[in-house]
Amino acid sequence: EIRLSLVGSEMCIRDSLAKAGISTTGTTSIVGHMGVSPIDHTAITGFSLILDPSGQFATSSLVDGKIFSADYAPPTPTMMTTAVSNMETAYTDAAGRIPDYTELYGGNLTGQTLTTGVYKWSTGVMVSAGGMTISGSPTDVWIFEIAQNLTLANGATINLIGGAQAANIFWQVAGEATLGTTSDFSGIILCQTLIAMQ
């Protein structure tokens, strides 16, 4: 099951979807929408939800979009079921891609520049404070298949160059994804276990 945990200082996230819960204990800013399914809205904690009169979504001062939950009024439950199904399909698709590179740099991407392709590790992947670079055109795609944990250290940055787009970078993580304080992450995390943003 997937849980998103936001802890500590200010962070900005673009859209989030979880199956087990979303919680925050820090100064958080969600740009876009967020939602949970198949669990209900009580699994969203720290956001002071305000249910819209339609009953289809909630709002929060920490989220500039709408907050959806499987227990809200129709058509939200169907929409959430579809969203989770699409997320699971994306995770399975990313995990099943044939890699162009395996076990690259022993999973330590610090100081490396990665070009377009599918990368696979049977271990965890880490980026320390030295950061890493993703280089390519606006239409290039990167898929990172990680069998264990993804760890971005405090202050680590993922730099995009050459027109590379965060929307085309997929981090498929079987373990936990931990983003350290003041880290600057780029891409879409498809995580099976936990995404913890410090």
Side-chain angles (χ1 to χ4, degrees), residues 75-116:
T76 302
T78 301
M79 180 182 70
M80 293 308 298
T81 298
T82 300
V84 168
S85 176
N86 290 345
M87 176 180 63
E88 290 170 340
T89 298
Y91 179 93
T92 301
D93 179 85
R97 296 290 178 111
I98 296 171
D100 300 306
Y101 309 95
T102 57
E103 312 304 333
L104 197 62
Y105 308 116
N108 184 352
L109 302 184
T110 307
Q112 304 301 329
T113 298
L114 302 183
T115 58
T116 187

Side-chain angles (χ1 to χ4, degrees), residues 12-17 29-34 64 187-188 197:
C12 179
I13 302 161
R14 179 164 215 63
D15 297 326
S16 61
L17 176 63
S29 175
I30 305 282
V31 178
H33 307 299
M34 71 180 208
D64 81 349
I188 298 166
M197 301 180 188

Side-chain angles (χ1 to χ4, degrees), residues 20-129:
I22 300 174
S23 62
T24 185
T25 58
T27 304
T28 302
S29 175
I30 305 282
V31 178
H33 307 299
M34 71 180 208
V36 294
S37 180
I39 52 164
D40 66 31
H41 74 280
T42 60
I44 301 172
T45 59
F47 287 90
S48 300
L49 300 180
I50 302 166
L51 187 62
D52 183 76
S54 70
Q56 296 176 354
F57 64 90
T59 59
S60 166
S61 62
L62 304 178
V63 180
D64 81 349
K66 297 175 182 176
I67 302 163
F68 300 98
S69 175
D71 63 328
Y72 287 164
T76 302
T78 301
M79 180 182 70
M80 293 308 298
T81 298
T82 300
V84 168
S85 176
N86 290 345
M87 176 180 63
E88 290 170 340
T89 298
Y91 179 93
T92 301
D93 179 85
R97 296 290 178 111
I98 296 171
D100 300 306
Y101 309 95
T102 57
E103 312 304 333
L104 197 62
Y105 308 116
N108 184 352
L109 302 184
T110 307
Q112 304 301 329
T113 298
L114 302 183
T115 58
T116 187
V118 178
Y119 296 79
K120 183 172 186 162
W121 292 272
S122 61
T123 62
V125 168
M126 69 153 307
V127 179
S128 72

Side-chain angles (χ1 to χ4, degrees), residues 98-188:
I98 296 171
D100 300 306
Y101 309 95
T102 57
E103 312 304 333
L104 197 62
Y105 308 116
N108 184 352
L109 302 184
T110 307
Q112 304 301 329
T113 298
L114 302 183
T115 58
T116 187
V118 178
Y119 296 79
K120 183 172 186 162
W121 292 272
S122 61
T123 62
V125 168
M126 69 153 307
V127 179
S128 72
M132 68 170 287
T133 301
I134 294 178
S135 175
S137 77
T139 58
D140 286 340
V141 174
W142 295 260
I143 297 174
F144 301 107
E145 302 172 8
I146 304 168
Q148 295 179 20
N149 297 335
L150 168 63
T151 305
L152 209 66
N154 295 345
T157 299
I158 297 176
N159 299 299
L160 305 182
I161 62 172
Q165 301 290 311
N168 296 337
I169 304 167
F170 301 90
W171 301 82
Q172 178 264 318
V173 183
E176 297 181 358
T178 302
L179 308 182
T181 60
T182 69
S183 63
D184 187 351
F185 184 84
S186 293
I188 298 166

